[in-house]
Amino acid sequence: MTIVGDKVGIGTDNADERLTVYGNIHARGVKVDLAGPLRIMYSYQITNLHH
């Protein structure tokens, strides 16, 4: 993990956003805030999502 200014990189030394992760993420929940600008970098189809 690297911290440069207000940017955190996990699995990378070159964070280009406030949080940049290079690797797999395991999350129990994900919150998406659409109030700000939306920037889609990658698109994945989620086939099994439980609430």
Side-chain angles (χ1 to χ4, degrees), residues 2-29:
T2 59
I3 301 173
V4 178
D6 65 344
K7 297 180 180 174
V8 177
I10 299 174
T12 180
D13 292 331
N14 300 313
D16 59 350
E17 295 291 340
R18 301 249 345 239
L19 175 61
T20 301
V21 178
Y22 182 76
N24 296 328
I25 298 172
H26 178 132
R28 184 109 180 136

Side-chain angles (χ1 to χ4, degrees), residues 29-49:
V30 177
K31 180 179 178 182
V32 177
D33 182 358
L34 298 178
L38 180 61
R39 201 172 102 183
I40 298 175
M41 302 285 292
Y42 300 98
S43 177
Y44 294 99
Q45 181 178 6
I46 298 174
T47 58
N48 189 9
L49 184 64

